[in-house]
Amino acid sequence: MRRILIMGATSAIAEATAREFAALGDALFLVGRNPDRLTAIADDLRLRGAAQAETWVMDACELGAYPALLDAATQRLGGLDTALIAHGTLTDQVAAQASSELMLAEFQTNALSHMVLCTELGNRFEAQGHGCIAVISSVAGDRGRQSNYVYGSAKAAVTAFTSGLRQRLHPKGVHVLTVKPGFVDTPMTAAFRKGPLWAMPATVAKAIVKAVQKGKPVLYTPWFWWPIMQIIKNVPEAIFRKLKL
Amino acid sequence: MSRQALSWGRLPAPEQRLIKLGSRFDALPTTTGSLLPYGLGRSYGDSCLNGGGALLGTRGLDRYIAFDRDSGVIEVEAGVSLGEIIELALPQGWFPAALPGTRFVTVGGAIANDVHGKNHHRAGSFGHQLLGFELLRSDGQVLHCSPTANAALFAATVGGLGLTGLIRRASLQLLRVPGPWIRGSSERFGSLAEFFALSAEAEAASAYTVAWIDSSATGANTGRGIFIRGNHAEGPASYAAPRGIRLPITPPLSLINPLTLAAFNALYYRRPAATARDALWHWQPFFHPLDAVLEWNRIYGPHGFYQYQCVVPMQDAETVIGEMLRRIAESKLGSFLVVLKTFGNMAARGMLSFPRPGATLAIDFPNRGAQTLALLDSLDAMTMAAGGAVYPAKDARMSAAAFRQYFPQWQAFAGHVDPRFSSSFWRRVTEYPQ
Ligand SMILES: Cc1cc2nc3c(=O)[nH]c(=O)nc-3n(C[C@H](O)[C@H](O)[C@H](O)COP(=O)(O)OP(=O)(O)OC[C@H]3O[C@@H](n4cnc5c(N)ncnc54)[C@H](O)[C@@H]3O)c2cc1C
């Protein structure tokens, strides 16, 4: 049985992943902003087999509140050994390139909050000598594109940060997993036209749980994003800057 | 905008938007045009479609809310499927009291069509196991409805075709069962008269009864088929459910034609397994043999198909259904999925509920255009003359006049329709001049 903290627990990918953990009988500590939705999800997860499903209401941008959050999770679950960091917003690129205030706010939600939480968790897990931190980054972090570079560069920060953290903590028995989903059909992307590259949250969730179980370092999900991103990363800048991606 | 086939008959669908709901705490979306809830799209025709408007996809409302393992009361969000209820409840010894011929239906959809199963004579229809539900109306009101609270709206919403508002959560009384097994028998019968005799005899002792009819049989063989009965029973401890297979593509033409049909029916009727005195089935193949072939509806090709399901009162059932079967066999337009069953006398709870005392016949018809529609109209004439009804969940073409005769309470019902809700079906049977 894992004792799992889930940040952004009302997001579609987090909820689908929590269902996979629940079916394995794990104990869950769910964090999100909306108390009604958190309670509904916790009730559901208990019926799906979760050993425990606790809820905690907080805004992920309150960076000072993380130590208290981790204390509460550790206390309520009787310990903590896994964390899934899944909160985030899909930045409106046009608005964020027009306002540095908005750009900073998006960085706060999609990068800084993850980095603060990873720091707190990393130190605690290092001290206890075991644990797993799974962080949802994005294929968008592999290369900045004009259509979403504010979101993409925040995710790039998360990708680089978790890569370094993984190197640092690997010898200490702590597993850090960077998850890079492609397009996922969730309420966050409701306005987008869907094509064959789109995946369902349940598919992504299954891949995440498997990667946690296997101690995998980086997960592209669905898998076909790995070759796609190898190509995108390797297009020379001289050509890339002329593209309309 | 989407032009995909969104209903099970795969007839060309009108242009409409699909808005997926994700939380039962959200207000209705603010869009122009009318709204219609949409579950798993297992309705065959246009009662789950809303051309020019929006569909509210409810599959994101798929959370269990509470389950009492002692009393068998389960509360779920409206997008939870009956298959998902079984997944949770059956290991604890509980099963839906009324279950239609597929497990891929949502609770909301099951309420809105007041669906029936093979045990109607014993358990009634879905409305009978329904303890209550929560309805969101477009004026923002959230109403708890049960047989005693907001009783009129309850009666309008059970069988109410999604027109009275959005059902967000519901609570059901499940049935105590010893496990996943059904014990019973199947036997051949040679005529409709034999079917009705078997049915009358079997209903006292068997919870589930249903018959498959050989629609290609003619003359003295008209109405022959296989009668199946069963009860929940003890069985082996373990069972690995078979993996579903999927029809990967829609063939360019219907695979159902008079030749394949006659061959299938003859083989099916004569196959040795058609008679079994003491059979033990797992619930899945017993209730839902077709669910093992996902998207089997594609077999009818790019033009899709119609289903016709009617109920006719018992006193004339043998004559009327015999006449229908002769007409269908003559036309050579029918199909192999022909099911005959009797409904019990339990009065339905919904104003527009389809189940009522009598015998119910259900048949698929590949869409061959005008000749198929003409045949279905002639079946409607027989159903109307017999004082019966056609099932809206299976319909894509009944006339407004027919609908109004089949559902005499339709005007009282219309008073409960939410002003922002509508469907292609509803406009067809209420607005078009006849
Ligand atoms: C193979 C097969 C076998 C079948 N066997 C049977 C059978 O034996 N007996 C039987 O009775 N039926 C049977 N049916 C029909 C099926 O049970 C009904 O059409 C059922 O209503 C489908 O549920 P759904 O979730 O797919 O709903 P949909 O088809 O998507 O919608 C059905 C109706 O429910 C409404 N609705 C859906 N969700 C909500 C909600 N949350 N709030 C309000 N309204 C809502 C819709 O507006 C629509 O009017 C069968 C269908 C198939 C494909």
Side-chain angles (χ1 to χ4, degrees):
Chain A
M1 184 193 77
R2 288 177 205 79
R3 291 163 296 185
I4 309 173
L5 165 78
I6 300 185
M7 281 299 290
T10 59
S11 87
I13 294 178
E15 186 177 5
T17 313
R19 287 184 182 184
E20 299 288 326
F21 285 133
L24 297 170
D26 292 335
L28 306 167
F29 190 88
L30 311 168
V31 186
R33 279 177 302 181
N34 184 318
D36 286 339
R37 295 184 58 189
L38 280 176
T39 307
I41 291 169
D43 289 344
D44 175 70
L45 293 172
R46 263 181 238 114
L47 288 165
R48 287 174 192 272
Q52 209 178 331
E54 307 283 329
T55 62
W56 188 263
V57 179
M58 98 168 232
D59 188 316
C61 290
E62 281 177 55
L63 303 186
Y66 283 119
L69 162 74
L70 292 183
D71 289 343
T74 309
Q75 199 219 334
R76 297 254 285 272
L77 300 183
L80 193 64
D81 42 46
T82 306
L84 173 68
I85 307 179
H87 65 275
T89 51
L90 189 59
T91 306
D92 176 341
Q93 169 68 24
V94 178
Q97 69 196 25
S99 150
S100 28
E101 204 177 322
L102 186 58
M103 185 273 288
L104 276 176
E106 289 297 325
F107 248 74
Q108 180 97 331
T109 338
N110 292 317
L112 295 178
S113 63
H114 292 224
M115 288 147 69
V116 170
L117 185 52
C118 278
T119 302
E120 299 288 337
L121 277 166
N123 294 342
R124 288 176 190 228
F125 285 178
E126 182 179 28
Q128 73 187 20
H130 63 95
C132 168
I133 309 173
V135 186
I136 310 241
S137 183
S138 168
V139 293
D142 279 9
R143 190 159 196 182
R145 291 172 295 125
Q146 61 173 350
S147 57
N148 75 344
Y149 65 83
V150 174
Y151 179 77
S153 56
K155 291 300 192 180
V158 171
T159 297
F161 193 92
T162 49
S163 169
L165 189 68
R166 174 166 43 248
Q167 256 193 344
R168 176 191 134 201
L169 295 179
H170 180 72
K172 308 289 170 61
V174 177
H175 169 210
V176 178
L177 165 66
T178 313
V179 182
K180 297 184 183 179
F183 302 134
V184 187
D185 188 355
T186 69
M188 185 161 146
T189 55
F192 288 70
R193 189 180 264 286
K194 311 288 187 300
L197 292 180
W198 287 76
M200 295 308 290
T203 312
V204 170
K206 286 195 176 73
I208 292 176
V209 171
K210 218 180 199 177
V212 166
Q213 287 169 331
K214 290 195 169 160
K216 198 173 171 154
V218 178
L219 171 70
Y220 282 88
T221 172
W223 63 270
F224 53 73
W225 284 100
W226 185 81
I228 294 176
M229 294 322 294
Q230 296 320 300
I231 295 167
I232 297 210
K233 278 198 285 195
N234 286 304
V235 177
E237 274 298 336
I239 298 173
F240 197 76
R241 68 179 174 185
K242 294 186 198 137
L243 299 179
K244 285 261 176 294
L245 288 171
Chain B
M1 291 281 173
S2 149
R3 261 186 175 287
Q4 298 151 272
L6 284 165
S7 79
W8 194 245
R10 301 182 60 88
L11 297 163
E15 187 98 355
Q16 57 203 326
R17 239 174 337 145
L18 177 63
I19 302 172
K20 293 186 185 172
L21 308 178
S23 158
R24 70 171 187 265
F25 304 102
D26 292 348
L28 289 173
T30 50
T31 58
T32 52
S34 62
L35 305 173
L36 184 74
Y38 176 84
L40 274 159
R42 254 52 179 194
S43 299
Y44 283 70
D46 57 357
S47 67
C48 64
L49 301 179
N50 188 20
L55 296 176
L56 303 174
T58 63
R59 272 296 276 164
L61 310 185
D62 66 345
R63 292 167 200 95
Y64 303 118
I65 298 172
F67 176 45
D68 184 333
R69 292 167 163 78
D70 299 320
S71 67
V73 173
I74 189 167
E75 188 168 7
V76 294
E77 294 185 351
V80 169
S81 73
L82 297 188
E84 286 157 353
I85 288 185
I86 295 171
E87 253 168 60
L88 177 67
L90 186 51
Q92 312 291 332
W94 297 97
F95 200 73
L99 182 66
T102 169
R103 67 183 189 278
F104 301 116
V105 301
T106 63
V107 167
I111 296 172
N113 277 321
D114 194 10
V115 301
H116 59 272
K118 298 175 178 38
N119 59 346
H120 184 274
H121 60 278
R122 180 150 311 175
S125 51
F126 203 80
H128 290 106
Q129 62 182 313
L130 188 59
L131 299 173
F133 54 81
E134 181 186 280
L135 192 70
L136 173 64
R137 302 270 295 182
S138 65
D139 59 7
Q141 277 196 83
V142 176
L143 297 159
H144 175 74
C145 304
S146 77
T148 51
N150 293 307
L153 201 50
F154 179 87
T157 303
V158 172
L161 303 170
L163 296 163
T164 61
L166 175 71
I167 302 165
R168 298 204 294 195
R169 55 196 281 178
S171 127
L172 310 178
Q173 173 64 60
L174 301 177
L175 179 75
R176 218 338 144 217
V177 296
W181 301 96
I182 305 286
R183 186 176 287 285
S185 68
S186 70
E187 62 202 288
R188 291 194 190 97
F189 56 87
S191 69
L192 282 182
E194 279 181 48
F195 163 80
F196 283 103
L198 275 171
S199 223
E201 172 252 311
E203 279 173 12
S206 299
Y208 301 102
T209 62
V210 70
W212 167 84
I213 302 280
D214 176 354
S215 68
S216 332
T218 50
N221 287 332
T222 301
R224 73 176 186 185
I226 296 167
F227 188 83
I228 298 157
R229 64 181 101 191
N231 282 305
H232 290 283
E234 308 267 351
S238 72
Y239 173 84
R243 283 178 61 133
I245 55 168
R246 185 181 292 273
L247 203 63
I249 51 151
T250 306
L253 78 181
S254 171
L255 300 179
I256 308 299
N257 59 50
L259 220 65
T260 56
L261 202 64
F264 172 85
N265 279 325
L267 281 173
Y268 195 81
Y269 182 71
R270 294 192 196 287
R271 77 192 200 288
T275 52
R277 276 189 184 288
D278 186 28
L280 190 64
W281 288 279
H282 187 259
W283 71 271
Q284 235 163 291
F286 180 81
F287 289 105
H288 303 148
L290 283 171
D291 280 357
V293 188
L294 303 165
E295 300 189 60
W296 57 262
N297 54 341
R298 292 178 165 192
I299 196 172
Y300 291 96
H303 304 299
F305 68 108
Y306 292 93
Q307 181 166 99
Y308 189 81
Q309 181 169 4
C310 63
V311 52
V312 291
M314 207 51 111
Q315 65 270 18
D316 301 322
E318 195 183 319
T319 330
V320 176
I321 289 174
E323 190 50 44
M324 287 179 170
L325 289 173
R326 264 183 291 277
R327 181 75 61 92
I328 292 162
E330 248 167 55
S331 76
K332 298 200 188 311
L333 293 169
S335 180
F336 52 71
L337 289 169
V338 184
V339 174
L340 182 59
K341 131 128 214 107
T342 50
F343 283 147
N345 292 325
M346 215 185 281
R349 283 179 164 171
M351 293 178 175
L352 295 192
S353 289
F354 166 70
R356 61 198 72 187
T360 179
L361 177 74
I363 317 184
D364 286 347
F365 294 93
N367 177 15
R368 299 223 166 78
Q371 42 172 343
T372 306
L373 290 171
L375 173 66
L376 296 178
D377 282 344
S378 72
L379 297 179
D380 255 351
M382 292 186 229
T383 304
M384 285 167 88
V390 165
Y391 192 4
K394 310 285 182 78
D395 179 68
R397 31 65 50 198
M398 73 168 80
S399 70
F403 173 77
R404 290 166 197 199
Q405 185 191 317
Y406 297 152
F407 299 96
Q409 290 193 66
W410 76 274
Q411 267 167 314
F413 167 79
H416 294 284
V417 171
D418 187 291
R420 267 194 81 196
F421 282 57
S422 187
S423 69
S424 296
F425 174 90
W426 185 241
R427 290 187 292 277
R428 177 159 62 80
V429 299
T430 57
E431 286 176 7
Y432 293 169
Q434 284 284 317

